[in-house]
Amino acid sequence: MKKLLILVFAFFTLSSFSKAEVKSIIEGNLNAKIKLVVFESLTCSHCANFHKNVYPNLKADFIDKGLINIEFRNFPLDLAAFNASKIAHCKNDGKSEILHFLFSKQNEWVKGSSIEEANNNLKKVLEKQQLNLDFEKCIADKSIEDHILEDRIEGVKKYKVNATPTLIINEEKFENPSDYKKLKKYIEKLI
C-alpha cells in the first residue's frame, strides 16, 4: 500500500502525460442517455462479484440494447491490482475482454505473499489462456501507468470514491452496486 501511495504522490507531483495515449475500457452506445462509470480494483472480491452477478444482467438489459454506456475505470487497491490493470489496458484497444477474464480468474492469480508471487500467478493465468502479451513490457508501460493513476486520482477528487466497486450513474454515486434489482429500477427511471 505504501508503494501505491508513493506512486500516486509521484504521479500527482510530476505528472506529464496525455490521457489520449491509452484508451478507456468502454462498452455500449457512446451516445446513450445513461452513462455508467464503475471504479474497481482487480483484486477486489466485490468487484469480481459485480462482474459475475450484476454485469451480465446489465449487459443483457441495457448495454446490448444501446440504452447505457459503461466505462470501467481503474481504482487499484494494491500493487497486484495496479499491475493487473496495466495488463487489462495493454492491448490499448479499449475492449473489455481481458478485464472480464481477469475478474473471472481472480481466485487463480490473486494469491501469494509478495507482489512477485502475484505477478507470477498472473503470468501463468495469461499464458494458460494463450493471451499474447509481453507481460514485462505491459507492466513497465509508463503511459498505461499514468492512465491508471489518473483514473484513481479523479475517482477520489471528483467522486469521493473510497471503496470498490463504486458506480457513478450520470455523475451521481449509486450506493448499492451489488443489488441488481435496485440498480435496474434506478436505471429504468432514467430511461
Side-chain angles (χ1 to χ4, degrees):
M1 186 67 180
K2 285 183 181 179
K3 288 182 181 178
L4 182 60
L5 292 175
I6 291 168
L7 286 171
V8 171
F9 178 75
F11 166 80
F12 188 68
T13 57
L14 303 172
S15 178
S16 62
F17 66 92
S18 169
K19 186 168 179 151
E21 293 175 5
V22 178
K23 293 181 182 175
S24 294
I25 297 173
I26 300 174
E27 290 182 25
N29 177 2
L30 294 177
N31 298 315
K33 178 180 171 184
I34 300 168
K35 307 287 185 200
L36 170 59
V37 175
V38 183
F39 284 93
E40 55 194 3
S41 174
L42 275 154
T43 55
C44 162
S45 61
H46 298 290
C47 299
N49 286 334
F50 174 84
H51 277 260
K52 180 181 178 185
N53 300 314
V54 175
Y55 167 77
N57 294 319
L58 265 176
K59 183 166 174 48
D61 294 340
F62 301 107
I63 298 169
D64 289 346
K65 294 177 182 175
L67 300 172
I68 72 170
N69 168 286
I70 186 168
E71 181 177 349
F72 300 99
R73 295 222 188 135
N74 306 284
F75 201 87
L77 298 175
D78 51 47
L79 283 174
F82 188 51
N83 287 339
S85 293
K86 293 177 191 178
I87 297 298
H89 285 280
C90 197
K91 282 191 173 181
N92 199 23
D93 59 7
K95 303 254 190 287
S96 60
E97 289 83 14
I98 294 175
L99 179 75
H100 295 306
F101 170 76
L102 292 174
F103 276 118
S104 73
K105 299 294 184 185
Q106 186 185 74
N107 62 344
E108 293 180 33
W109 65 269
V110 179
K111 55 187 175 182
S113 58
S114 69
I115 189 61
E116 290 79 17
E117 283 184 65
N119 281 348
N120 285 332
N121 293 332
L122 183 55
K123 278 186 214 177
K124 288 176 189 172
V125 167
L126 295 168
E127 287 168 3
K128 196 184 321 181
Q129 189 66 23
Q130 297 180 339
L131 293 173
N132 296 327
L133 296 171
D134 182 337
F135 188 86
E136 300 306 324
K137 185 178 177 184
C138 293
I139 296 299
D141 190 310
K142 181 72 172 137
S143 62
I144 295 173
E145 188 173 295
D146 289 345
H147 176 84
I148 292 165
L149 293 173
E150 181 186 340
D151 275 358
R152 195 175 199 292
I153 290 168
E154 182 182 20
V156 170
K157 284 184 159 188
K158 186 174 180 180
Y159 300 109
K160 310 291 186 246
V161 173
N162 60 4
T164 57
T166 295
L167 276 59
I168 309 296
I169 303 172
N170 288 353
E171 299 296 317
E172 298 291 326
K173 194 183 272 190
F174 181 77
E175 296 299 331
N176 298 299
S178 62
D179 187 336
Y180 183 68
K181 285 183 181 180
K182 287 184 180 179
L183 178 59
K184 184 177 180 181
K185 278 185 183 178
Y186 185 85
I187 292 171
E188 287 173 341
K189 288 179 183 176
L190 297 175
I191 295 176

